Amino acid sequence: LAEKKVLIVYAHQSAGSFSAAAKEAAVEVLKSKDCSVEVSDLYAMKFKATATAEDITGEVKNPEHFRYAEETKLAWDEGRLSADITEEQRKLQEADLVIYQVMHGDQFKHQFPLYWFTVPAILKGWFDRVLTLGFAYTKEKRYSNGIFKKTKALLSFTTGSQETMFSPTGINGDMNVTLWPLQNGILHYCGFQVLAPQIFWAPADAAPEGRSAMLAAWNTRLQGLLDEKPLFFTPMDYFDCESFQLKPENVEKCVKEFGPTAGTHCGKPLPPNNQMKAGV
């Protein structure tokens, strides 16, 4: 069997954090499973977070009205993207599995989780700059027809709040809603098979044995990670190709007690754990 290649995109500043321990566990276990593991440590790399004209070598097509997507598409076609972007694109193209470790630091336990309910700016910048038009998606190749439909991806992160706070009745709201823009709007949009997220609930508030138990569960999951089934997202062909609305026959097929997915719920209650567990 061909060696499986794993890319870990890591966004945390502290080598002594729980986040670093979770990352090291992934590297160790996956290497023991004969995987080739590459880590993009964004803070160590001082990865540039802002998407600007500096990402293109040579002149831009329309400096008076700079449009990042169109200009980087042309630069990608012509091999004129900056070296840091092309290197990350190389890693991504070669990977069978991508783990985004979007860790909320233990030292920030009183802040909102995931850095204000989303990823740290440095990782958002990685998405903005690396997933360029043409390379990661086109109008024709997105969602279930996406360019990366043969590659698996998952989010692995800690929270600063307890799990109960991210429930449908919790003060932070349903975690499935929080995850939808990241998992559907970025990963699935580019075609990735999105695995259930690995969520470490409030490790900063846990006793040492609790944190050890979290890492042990992650180690166990890593053993079979490459064989996991992805989350469900409504296939592209369920939608009308002009209006991009669910076809009437598919509304009837998909919508019962709940809508089909957290985002496309057709006015019905959200399907429980749709963005957190496969096969629900």
Side-chain angles (χ1 to χ4, degrees):
L1 293 174
E3 179 185 62
K4 294 293 184 181
K5 295 187 177 182
V6 179
L7 170 62
I8 298 175
V9 183
Y10 178 65
H12 196 287
Q13 300 178 67
S14 174
S17 66
F18 180 90
S19 307
K23 182 256 295 180
E24 290 304 320
V27 171
E28 183 178 343
V29 173
L30 291 167
K31 282 187 174 180
S32 76
K33 304 291 287 183
D34 295 325
C35 293
S36 169
V37 182
E38 196 162 12
V39 178
S40 286
D41 186 337
L42 300 186
Y43 285 106
M45 293 160 59
K46 295 182 171 56
F47 190 81
K48 184 171 81 78
T50 52
T52 68
E54 294 174 359
D55 296 341
I56 297 164
T57 59
E59 295 183 0
V60 299
K61 182 179 179 182
N62 187 353
E64 299 301 318
H65 181 43
F66 180 72
R67 300 171 70 187
Y68 189 84
E70 288 74 10
E71 293 283 2
T72 52
K73 167 67 166 65
L74 181 62
W76 177 72
D77 287 339
E78 298 176 352
R80 295 190 296 109
L81 286 173
S82 63
D84 60 340
I85 292 177
T86 55
E87 174 62 4
E88 295 306 296
Q89 289 182 338
R90 175 198 66 77
K91 297 174 187 176
L92 199 52
Q93 280 183 315
E94 294 178 357
D96 298 293
L97 169 69
V98 187
I99 300 175
Y100 295 96
Q101 294 210 271
V102 289
M103 299 299 191
H104 178 265
D106 299 350
Q107 66 270 39
F108 301 112
K109 59 183 275 193
H110 298 301
Q111 297 290 327
F112 284 104
L114 293 177
Y115 282 28
W116 300 102
F117 287 72
T118 189
V119 299
I122 198 167
L123 181 59
K124 180 57 166 62
W126 189 96
F127 287 135
D128 289 347
R129 298 180 64 228
V130 175
L131 301 180
T132 57
L133 175 62
F135 168 75
Y137 69 96
T138 66
K139 184 178 179 181
E140 296 75 28
K141 295 181 179 180
R142 51 183 171 164
Y143 292 119
S144 56
N145 297 330
I147 290 171
F148 286 96
K149 63 185 178 182
K150 293 183 179 179
T151 306
K152 294 183 176 181
L154 72 88
L155 301 177
S156 171
F157 59 93
T158 66
T159 71
S161 301
Q162 299 294 329
E163 183 175 3
T164 52
M165 296 172 70
F166 279 104
S167 67
T169 55
I171 192 168
N172 290 344
D174 192 335
M175 177 58 88
N176 294 280
V177 175
T178 300
L179 289 171
W180 177 259
L182 299 173
Q183 295 188 153
N184 179 72
I186 298 177
L187 301 182
H188 177 54
Y189 190 88
C190 295
F192 288 103
Q193 299 175 46
V194 185
L195 302 183
Q198 180 67 29
I199 307 176
F200 302 99
W201 300 102
D205 294 335
E209 57 270 23
R211 290 193 290 273
S212 295
M214 291 182 197
L215 288 175
W218 177 224
N219 270 271
T220 299
R221 184 183 179 193
L222 285 163
Q223 301 292 333
L225 193 62
L226 287 160
D227 296 321
E228 286 186 6
K229 291 183 178 180
L231 300 173
F232 172 78
F233 292 90
T234 313
M236 195 71 170
D237 59 9
Y238 276 41
F239 296 88
D240 179 84
C241 62
E242 293 184 359
S243 69
F244 296 103
Q245 295 287 304
L246 272 175
K247 296 173 184 175
E249 64 270 24
N250 290 326
V251 172
E252 210 170 291
K253 183 191 304 181
C254 292
V255 181
K256 303 195 184 332
E257 181 183 359
F258 301 103
T261 63
T264 312
H265 56 83
C266 302
K268 292 285 186 175
L270 302 188
N273 289 325
N274 172 261
Q275 291 299 294
M276 295 170 68
K277 295 182 180 179
V280 296

